[in-house]
Amino acid sequence: MNICVFASGNGSNFRAIIGAKRSGFLSSDICLLITNNSGCGAVGIAKQYGIDVYHISRYIFKDIDEDEYSGLFISKLKEYKIDLIVLAGYMKKIDTGVIHEYSRRIINIHPAILPSFGGSGMYGINVHKAVLNSGVKVTGLTVHFVDDNYDKGEIILQKFLDVHDDDNEDSLQKRVLSMEHKYYSEVIKEIETGKIKIGNNFS
Ligand code: GRF
């Protein structure tokens, strides 16, 4: 498969996926990084490993309509013959045109057990704060397909983690993130082997 990663931040999941490829665990090519933030850590990682970067944001393309904006993503994804889009800390909503063109070909990782602690405002450290404030004793990660309903696409994998009495949001984030690094590549591997079906390949 040809993979495109979308990221806006540190890019530690992006780095972990590259590591999984370099160790031979994954066979797909990680061809392209799409980002809205040209100064983010993920861009530095892409440069380090010679992965092409496409920087696109509404700040650059202010005057085009939604279809044209989606079209820019789609033509870049087609140019690289992308089979799977992996969202790894991408802070923008994916445009509807892209979601429909790549139906069941976009996956996201969320640092909590959806459908709890998802939706608007639930990103980064906010998620872990909300988990602690709620008093739940278990958190974890969710990998899901991306569809029109934000954070509500079909769930592919969930992994659980106990919340400790002495956890704070930073410790929780660190422990969840290290699980993410392991399991996101495992999901991609299962897509490669066909155990998880993507696109129209359901039978
Ligand atoms: C991760 O916690 C991921 O679950 C969420 O955004 C964060 C990205 O972290 N969607 P990183 O940029 O991969 O370090």
Side-chain angles (χ1 to χ4, degrees):
M1 293 190 303
N2 288 335
I3 291 178
C4 174
V5 174
F6 281 44
S8 311
N10 291 334
S12 70
N13 277 288
F14 179 42
R15 189 188 285 285
I17 293 163
I18 294 169
K21 163 68 179 175
R22 286 168 65 85
S23 72
F25 180 71
L26 293 177
S27 58
S28 297
D29 286 329
I30 300 145
C31 309
L32 181 65
L33 172 74
I34 290 187
T35 187
N36 62 306
N37 177 3
S38 59
C40 72
V43 169
I45 295 167
K47 288 193 176 142
Q48 185 185 346
Y49 291 101
I51 295 170
D52 288 353
V53 176
Y54 182 47
H55 175 218
I56 175 165
S57 88
R58 270 294 183 185
Y59 291 104
I60 307 171
F61 297 100
K62 288 188 182 78
D63 298 325
I64 58 176
D65 68 22
E66 204 189 312
D67 285 349
E68 287 171 307
Y69 191 60
S70 290
L72 293 172
F73 284 86
I74 292 167
S75 59
K76 187 55 78 174
L77 294 164
K78 299 276 180 211
E79 179 188 331
Y80 282 81
K81 298 187 167 48
I82 296 302
D83 302 295
L84 178 69
I85 297 170
V86 174
L87 307 187
Y90 186 63
M91 300 300 285
K92 295 285 171 194
K93 222 168 162 205
I94 304 293
D95 287 83
T96 315
V98 177
I99 290 178
H100 290 173
E101 185 71 27
Y102 286 86
S103 172
R104 225 181 138 87
R105 286 184 183 277
I106 310 175
I107 60 173
N108 182 44
I109 191 161
H110 185 80
I113 300 299
L114 292 173
S116 299
F117 310 109
S120 178
M122 282 294 154
Y123 59 87
I125 204 74
N126 296 352
V127 177
H128 305 290
K129 277 185 188 158
V131 164
L132 286 173
N133 288 338
S134 76
V136 293
K137 295 295 175 204
V138 175
T139 185
L141 64 83
T142 302
V143 180
H144 63 96
F145 285 110
V146 172
D147 65 15
D148 291 324
N149 300 312
Y150 192 65
D151 275 348
K152 289 195 176 145
E154 182 188 328
I155 290 171
I156 300 170
L157 176 82
Q158 293 188 306
K159 287 287 169 185
F160 301 89
L161 182 80
D162 287 340
V163 178
H164 300 155
D165 290 342
D166 60 353
D167 263 322
N168 58 39
E169 56 260 33
D170 295 323
S171 65
L172 214 47
Q173 183 178 48
K174 207 169 156 197
R175 288 196 294 124
V176 172
L177 202 51
S178 94
M179 281 174 75
E180 293 182 39
H181 296 160
K182 172 173 161 50
Y183 288 108
Y184 215 7
S185 293
E186 292 201 357
V187 167
I188 295 168
K189 174 91 179 176
E190 293 203 337
I191 293 172
E192 284 181 345
T193 61
K195 199 166 165 199
I196 297 167
K197 309 284 186 209
I198 61 166
N200 300 323
N201 189 12
F202 294 105
S203 52

